[in-house]
Amino acid sequence: MTTETSPRPGSTTTPADTGPVPGPLVQAGGIAAQVVAGTYVVGFLAMGAYLAPQGFVDPVADPSGSLAFLLDHTAVMSAWYALLYLLGGAAMALVALGVRDRLASAPGPARVSAALGLVWSGLLVASGSVAVVGQHAVVSLHAGDPDLARSTWTSVSIVQDALGGGVEVAGALWAMVVGLAVLRTRTLPAALGGLALGLAAVGLVTVVPAASEVSTSIFGIGFIVWFTWLGVVLARR
């Protein structure tokens, strides 16, 4: 004798279903991933096409030259940091939560990835806040005490760089946990998980001063590809 089991009332599952429909947070994470990728693209383009040709220099290597550049391009610098760190950091929070929900079949790694992703998001937002507020303070100080403005600008830049961009350990740890979870659960393409592990290794190398500049660039360019790819996958069934 055979027994037929009827679907429970309210159930939307049918034999034709091929997988779970992405939840709102997963879909929001996919959109946010595209936003993060966009901030990386704009950041690189702005540096290569405008900031560097106009005379952008490192505040530690050339404090006077960097301060002069800031005074001449205050609005552009504020917008650049706000886009890269404030918008990018806020979008990263949604990415972290969306990825957590997509990795729900591995609860432990999903929770760890969310925690690390939110830490990375917080550091980015803090870095952008320090940069924008610090720039405005330095411009105001320069009117009365140029020497104090120069030393303050150097200090602000060091703190801002330490929070976001100088080393990429927070992002590397998040990518490592996500990559391992993806390879374990296959809830995302295995190649996406493998790329995450590769970027994690590159991000950890940024703690080495001699390799920091090159590895930071590779980390950023690699994540343009990764976040774009992730955004497409998260929005898909």
PDB file of all heavy atoms in Angstrom, residues 80-105:
ATOM      1  N   TRP A  80      35.976  61.482  -1.951  1.00  0.00           N
ATOM      2  CA  TRP A  80      36.689  60.226  -2.230  1.00  0.00           C
ATOM      3  C   TRP A  80      36.659  59.306  -1.018  1.00  0.00           C
ATOM      4  O   TRP A  80      36.314  58.118  -1.125  1.00  0.00           O
ATOM      5  CB  TRP A  80      38.133  60.549  -2.629  1.00  0.00           C
ATOM      6  CG  TRP A  80      38.919  59.389  -3.171  1.00  0.00           C
ATOM      7  CD1 TRP A  80      38.592  58.621  -4.247  1.00  0.00           C
ATOM      8  CD2 TRP A  80      40.169  58.909  -2.682  1.00  0.00           C
ATOM      9  NE1 TRP A  80      39.575  57.668  -4.460  1.00  0.00           N
ATOM     10  CE2 TRP A  80      40.545  57.823  -3.524  1.00  0.00           C
ATOM     11  CE3 TRP A  80      41.006  59.288  -1.636  1.00  0.00           C
ATOM     12  CZ2 TRP A  80      41.728  57.113  -3.331  1.00  0.00           C
ATOM     13  CZ3 TRP A  80      42.181  58.578  -1.445  1.00  0.00           C
ATOM     14  CH2 TRP A  80      42.543  57.509  -2.288  1.00  0.00           C
ATOM     15  N   TYR A  81      36.987  59.853   0.148  1.00  0.00           N
ATOM     16  CA  TYR A  81      36.982  59.036   1.365  1.00  0.00           C
ATOM     17  C   TYR A  81      35.559  58.642   1.769  1.00  0.00           C
ATOM     18  O   TYR A  81      35.335  57.536   2.266  1.00  0.00           O
ATOM     19  CB  TYR A  81      37.671  59.780   2.506  1.00  0.00           C
ATOM     20  CG  TYR A  81      39.176  59.720   2.439  1.00  0.00           C
ATOM     21  CD1 TYR A  81      39.923  60.837   2.078  1.00  0.00           C
ATOM     22  CD2 TYR A  81      39.853  58.543   2.736  1.00  0.00           C
ATOM     23  CE1 TYR A  81      41.313  60.776   2.009  1.00  0.00           C
ATOM     24  CE2 TYR A  81      41.235  58.483   2.667  1.00  0.00           C
ATOM     25  CZ  TYR A  81      41.965  59.597   2.306  1.00  0.00           C
ATOM     26  OH  TYR A  81      43.336  59.537   2.237  1.00  0.00           O
ATOM     27  N   ALA A  82      34.602  59.536   1.579  1.00  0.00           N
ATOM     28  CA  ALA A  82      33.222  59.205   1.924  1.00  0.00           C
ATOM     29  C   ALA A  82      32.706  58.056   1.059  1.00  0.00           C
ATOM     30  O   ALA A  82      32.027  57.147   1.549  1.00  0.00           O
ATOM     31  CB  ALA A  82      32.325  60.431   1.754  1.00  0.00           C
ATOM     32  N   LEU A  83      33.042  58.079  -0.220  1.00  0.00           N
ATOM     33  CA  LEU A  83      32.597  57.021  -1.120  1.00  0.00           C
ATOM     34  C   LEU A  83      33.273  55.702  -0.784  1.00  0.00           C
ATOM     35  O   LEU A  83      32.611  54.666  -0.621  1.00  0.00           O
ATOM     36  CB  LEU A  83      32.907  57.416  -2.567  1.00  0.00           C
ATOM     37  CG  LEU A  83      32.576  56.357  -3.622  1.00  0.00           C
ATOM     38  CD1 LEU A  83      31.074  56.225  -3.795  1.00  0.00           C
ATOM     39  CD2 LEU A  83      33.229  56.710  -4.957  1.00  0.00           C
ATOM     40  N   LEU A  84      34.603  55.720  -0.676  1.00  0.00           N
ATOM     41  CA  LEU A  84      35.351  54.490  -0.464  1.00  0.00           C
ATOM     42  C   LEU A  84      35.049  53.850   0.884  1.00  0.00           C
ATOM     43  O   LEU A  84      34.852  52.626   0.967  1.00  0.00           O
ATOM     44  CB  LEU A  84      36.853  54.769  -0.550  1.00  0.00           C
ATOM     45  CG  LEU A  84      37.472  54.897  -1.934  1.00  0.00           C
ATOM     46  CD1 LEU A  84      38.953  55.225  -1.810  1.00  0.00           C
ATOM     47  CD2 LEU A  84      37.283  53.630  -2.731  1.00  0.00           C
ATOM     48  N   TYR A  85      35.012  54.661   1.930  1.00  0.00           N
ATOM     49  CA  TYR A  85      34.968  54.108   3.281  1.00  0.00           C
ATOM     50  C   TYR A  85      33.597  54.199   3.944  1.00  0.00           C
ATOM     51  O   TYR A  85      33.175  53.242   4.601  1.00  0.00           O
ATOM     52  CB  TYR A  85      36.019  54.801   4.146  1.00  0.00           C
ATOM     53  CG  TYR A  85      37.424  54.514   3.676  1.00  0.00           C
ATOM     54  CD1 TYR A  85      38.123  55.436   2.883  1.00  0.00           C
ATOM     55  CD2 TYR A  85      38.050  53.324   3.998  1.00  0.00           C
ATOM     56  CE1 TYR A  85      39.399  55.168   2.439  1.00  0.00           C
ATOM     57  CE2 TYR A  85      39.336  53.043   3.554  1.00  0.00           C
ATOM     58  CZ  TYR A  85      40.010  53.968   2.776  1.00  0.00           C
ATOM     59  OH  TYR A  85      41.272  53.689   2.324  1.00  0.00           O
ATOM     60  N   LEU A  86      32.900  55.310   3.808  1.00  0.00           N
ATOM     61  CA  LEU A  86      31.589  55.410   4.452  1.00  0.00           C
ATOM     62  C   LEU A  86      30.545  54.599   3.686  1.00  0.00           C
ATOM     63  O   LEU A  86      29.859  53.743   4.271  1.00  0.00           O
ATOM     64  CB  LEU A  86      31.168  56.874   4.572  1.00  0.00           C
ATOM     65  CG  LEU A  86      32.068  57.745   5.459  1.00  0.00           C
ATOM     66  CD1 LEU A  86      31.534  59.181   5.524  1.00  0.00           C
ATOM     67  CD2 LEU A  86      32.182  57.165   6.866  1.00  0.00           C
ATOM     68  N   LEU A  87      30.425  54.847   2.385  1.00  0.00           N
ATOM     69  CA  LEU A  87      29.466  54.075   1.593  1.00  0.00           C
ATOM     70  C   LEU A  87      29.900  52.616   1.478  1.00  0.00           C
ATOM     71  O   LEU A  87      29.096  51.696   1.676  1.00  0.00           O
ATOM     72  CB  LEU A  87      29.327  54.698   0.201  1.00  0.00           C
ATOM     73  CG  LEU A  87      28.404  53.940  -0.774  1.00  0.00           C
ATOM     74  CD1 LEU A  87      26.992  53.846  -0.209  1.00  0.00           C
ATOM     75  CD2 LEU A  87      28.409  54.616  -2.138  1.00  0.00           C
ATOM     76  N   GLY A  88      31.171  52.401   1.166  1.00  0.00           N
ATOM     77  CA  GLY A  88      31.665  51.032   1.026  1.00  0.00           C
ATOM     78  C   GLY A  88      31.549  50.242   2.318  1.00  0.00           C
ATOM     79  O   GLY A  88      31.182  49.066   2.307  1.00  0.00           O
ATOM     80  N   GLY A  89      31.847  50.880   3.443  1.00  0.00           N
ATOM     81  CA  GLY A  89      31.750  50.198   4.729  1.00  0.00           C
ATOM     82  C   GLY A  89      30.324  49.847   5.092  1.00  0.00           C
ATOM     83  O   GLY A  89      30.040  48.758   5.594  1.00  0.00           O
ATOM     84  N   ALA A  90      29.397  50.770   4.839  1.00  0.00           N
ATOM     85  CA  ALA A  90      27.988  50.500   5.125  1.00  0.00           C
ATOM     86  C   ALA A  90      27.468  49.356   4.253  1.00  0.00           C
ATOM     87  O   ALA A  90      26.742  48.469   4.724  1.00  0.00           O
ATOM     88  CB  ALA A  90      27.160  51.762   4.900  1.00  0.00           C
ATOM     89  N   ALA A  91      27.841  49.353   2.975  1.00  0.00           N
ATOM     90  CA  ALA A  91      27.418  48.272   2.080  1.00  0.00           C
ATOM     91  C   ALA A  91      28.019  46.938   2.510  1.00  0.00           C
ATOM     92  O   ALA A  91      27.377  45.888   2.398  1.00  0.00           O
ATOM     93  CB  ALA A  91      27.822  48.602   0.646  1.00  0.00           C
ATOM     94  N   MET A  92      29.241  46.987   3.059  1.00  0.00           N
ATOM     95  CA  MET A  92      29.890  45.754   3.487  1.00  0.00           C
ATOM     96  C   MET A  92      29.118  45.071   4.605  1.00  0.00           C
ATOM     97  O   MET A  92      29.110  43.836   4.705  1.00  0.00           O
ATOM     98  CB  MET A  92      31.326  46.088   3.945  1.00  0.00           C
ATOM     99  CG  MET A  92      32.150  44.874   4.345  1.00  0.00           C
ATOM    100  SD  MET A  92      32.332  43.711   2.977  1.00  0.00           S
ATOM    101  CE  MET A  92      32.171  42.162   3.884  1.00  0.00           C
ATOM    102  N   ALA A  93      28.446  45.831   5.450  1.00  0.00           N
ATOM    103  CA  ALA A  93      27.633  45.234   6.514  1.00  0.00           C
ATOM    104  C   ALA A  93      26.522  44.371   5.923  1.00  0.00           C
ATOM    105  O   ALA A  93      26.259  43.256   6.392  1.00  0.00           O
ATOM    106  CB  ALA A  93      27.049  46.328   7.407  1.00  0.00           C
ATOM    107  N   LEU A  94      25.868  44.866   4.880  1.00  0.00           N
ATOM    108  CA  LEU A  94      24.820  44.090   4.222  1.00  0.00           C
ATOM    109  C   LEU A  94      25.388  42.859   3.525  1.00  0.00           C
ATOM    110  O   LEU A  94      24.764  41.794   3.522  1.00  0.00           O
ATOM    111  CB  LEU A  94      24.075  44.958   3.212  1.00  0.00           C
ATOM    112  CG  LEU A  94      23.059  45.958   3.776  1.00  0.00           C
ATOM    113  CD1 LEU A  94      22.481  46.802   2.650  1.00  0.00           C
ATOM    114  CD2 LEU A  94      21.948  45.231   4.516  1.00  0.00           C
ATOM    115  N   VAL A  95      26.566  42.998   2.941  1.00  0.00           N
ATOM    116  CA  VAL A  95      27.206  41.846   2.302  1.00  0.00           C
ATOM    117  C   VAL A  95      27.464  40.752   3.333  1.00  0.00           C
ATOM    118  O   VAL A  95      27.172  39.571   3.109  1.00  0.00           O
ATOM    119  CB  VAL A  95      28.526  42.254   1.621  1.00  0.00           C
ATOM    120  CG1 VAL A  95      29.247  41.021   1.077  1.00  0.00           C
ATOM    121  CG2 VAL A  95      28.268  43.227   0.482  1.00  0.00           C
ATOM    122  N   ALA A  96      28.006  41.145   4.481  1.00  0.00           N
ATOM    123  CA  ALA A  96      28.324  40.174   5.524  1.00  0.00           C
ATOM    124  C   ALA A  96      27.082  39.423   5.984  1.00  0.00           C
ATOM    125  O   ALA A  96      27.109  38.194   6.172  1.00  0.00           O
ATOM    126  CB  ALA A  96      28.987  40.878   6.706  1.00  0.00           C
ATOM    127  N   LEU A  97      25.971  40.133   6.160  1.00  0.00           N
ATOM    128  CA  LEU A  97      24.738  39.496   6.620  1.00  0.00           C
ATOM    129  C   LEU A  97      24.107  38.640   5.526  1.00  0.00           C
ATOM    130  O   LEU A  97      23.562  37.562   5.794  1.00  0.00           O
ATOM    131  CB  LEU A  97      23.755  40.560   7.096  1.00  0.00           C
ATOM    132  CG  LEU A  97      24.217  41.360   8.318  1.00  0.00           C
ATOM    133  CD1 LEU A  97      23.201  42.451   8.655  1.00  0.00           C
ATOM    134  CD2 LEU A  97      24.436  40.454   9.524  1.00  0.00           C
ATOM    135  N   GLY A  98      24.183  39.098   4.281  1.00  0.00           N
ATOM    136  CA  GLY A  98      23.658  38.304   3.181  1.00  0.00           C
ATOM    137  C   GLY A  98      24.423  37.006   2.992  1.00  0.00           C
ATOM    138  O   GLY A  98      23.837  35.940   2.773  1.00  0.00           O
ATOM    139  N   VAL A  99      25.745  37.078   3.085  1.00  0.00           N
ATOM    140  CA  VAL A  99      26.578  35.875   2.971  1.00  0.00           C
ATOM    141  C   VAL A  99      26.292  34.927   4.138  1.00  0.00           C
ATOM    142  O   VAL A  99      26.221  33.711   3.962  1.00  0.00           O
ATOM    143  CB  VAL A  99      28.068  36.258   2.916  1.00  0.00           C
ATOM    144  CG1 VAL A  99      28.954  35.019   3.059  1.00  0.00           C
ATOM    145  CG2 VAL A  99      28.383  36.970   1.608  1.00  0.00           C
ATOM    146  N   ARG A 100      26.112  35.486   5.321  1.00  0.00           N
ATOM    147  CA  ARG A 100      25.775  34.639   6.481  1.00  0.00           C
ATOM    148  C   ARG A 100      24.511  33.837   6.217  1.00  0.00           C
ATOM    149  O   ARG A 100      24.469  32.628   6.474  1.00  0.00           O
ATOM    150  CB  ARG A 100      25.572  35.513   7.714  1.00  0.00           C
ATOM    151  CG  ARG A 100      25.166  34.739   8.973  1.00  0.00           C
ATOM    152  CD  ARG A 100      24.467  35.618   9.962  1.00  0.00           C
ATOM    153  NE  ARG A 100      23.214  36.171   9.414  1.00  0.00           N
ATOM    154  CZ  ARG A 100      22.459  37.060  10.040  1.00  0.00           C
ATOM    155  NH1 ARG A 100      22.830  37.528  11.215  1.00  0.00           N
ATOM    156  NH2 ARG A 100      21.342  37.508   9.481  1.00  0.00           N
ATOM    157  N   ASP A 101      23.484  34.486   5.702  1.00  0.00           N
ATOM    158  CA  ASP A 101      22.232  33.776   5.441  1.00  0.00           C
ATOM    159  C   ASP A 101      22.403  32.732   4.340  1.00  0.00           C
ATOM    160  O   ASP A 101      21.788  31.663   4.389  1.00  0.00           O
ATOM    161  CB  ASP A 101      21.142  34.770   5.047  1.00  0.00           C
ATOM    162  CG  ASP A 101      20.548  35.486   6.257  1.00  0.00           C
ATOM    163  OD1 ASP A 101      21.134  35.380   7.360  1.00  0.00           O
ATOM    164  OD2 ASP A 101      19.508  36.158   6.105  1.00  0.00           O
ATOM    165  N   ARG A 102      23.224  33.029   3.346  1.00  0.00           N
ATOM    166  CA  ARG A 102      23.445  32.063   2.269  1.00  0.00           C
ATOM    167  C   ARG A 102      24.214  30.837   2.771  1.00  0.00           C
ATOM    168  O   ARG A 102      24.050  29.730   2.258  1.00  0.00           O
ATOM    169  CB  ARG A 102      24.199  32.734   1.124  1.00  0.00           C
ATOM    170  CG  ARG A 102      24.307  31.888  -0.133  1.00  0.00           C
ATOM    171  CD  ARG A 102      22.933  31.545  -0.697  1.00  0.00           C
ATOM    172  NE  ARG A 102      23.052  30.791  -1.922  1.00  0.00           N
ATOM    173  CZ  ARG A 102      22.944  31.328  -3.140  1.00  0.00           C
ATOM    174  NH1 ARG A 102      22.681  32.616  -3.282  1.00  0.00           N
ATOM    175  NH2 ARG A 102      23.078  30.583  -4.205  1.00  0.00           N
ATOM    176  N   LEU A 103      25.049  31.027   3.806  1.00  0.00           N
ATOM    177  CA  LEU A 103      25.838  29.924   4.370  1.00  0.00           C
ATOM    178  C   LEU A 103      25.140  29.277   5.561  1.00  0.00           C
ATOM    179  O   LEU A 103      25.782  28.618   6.372  1.00  0.00           O
ATOM    180  CB  LEU A 103      27.214  30.444   4.820  1.00  0.00           C
ATOM    181  CG  LEU A 103      28.118  31.031   3.739  1.00  0.00           C
ATOM    182  CD1 LEU A 103      29.380  31.599   4.361  1.00  0.00           C
ATOM    183  CD2 LEU A 103      28.461  29.982   2.688  1.00  0.00           C
ATOM    184  N   ALA A 104      23.827  29.432   5.639  1.00  0.00           N
ATOM    185  CA  ALA A 104      23.087  28.972   6.819  1.00  0.00           C
ATOM    186  C   ALA A 104      23.209  27.472   7.056  1.00  0.00           C
ATOM    187  O   ALA A 104      23.018  27.006   8.185  1.00  0.00           O
ATOM    188  CB  ALA A 104      21.610  29.355   6.683  1.00  0.00           C
ATOM    189  N   SER A 105      23.541  26.697   6.025  1.00  0.00           N
ATOM    190  CA  SER A 105      23.687  25.257   6.216  1.00  0.00           C
ATOM    191  C   SER A 105      24.924  24.902   7.036  1.00  0.00           C
ATOM    192  O   SER A 105      25.088  23.765   7.456  1.00  0.00           O
ATOM    193  CB  SER A 105      23.753  24.547   4.860  1.00  0.00           C
ATOM    194  OG  SER A 105      24.826  25.037   4.085  1.00  0.00           O
TER     195      SER A 105
END
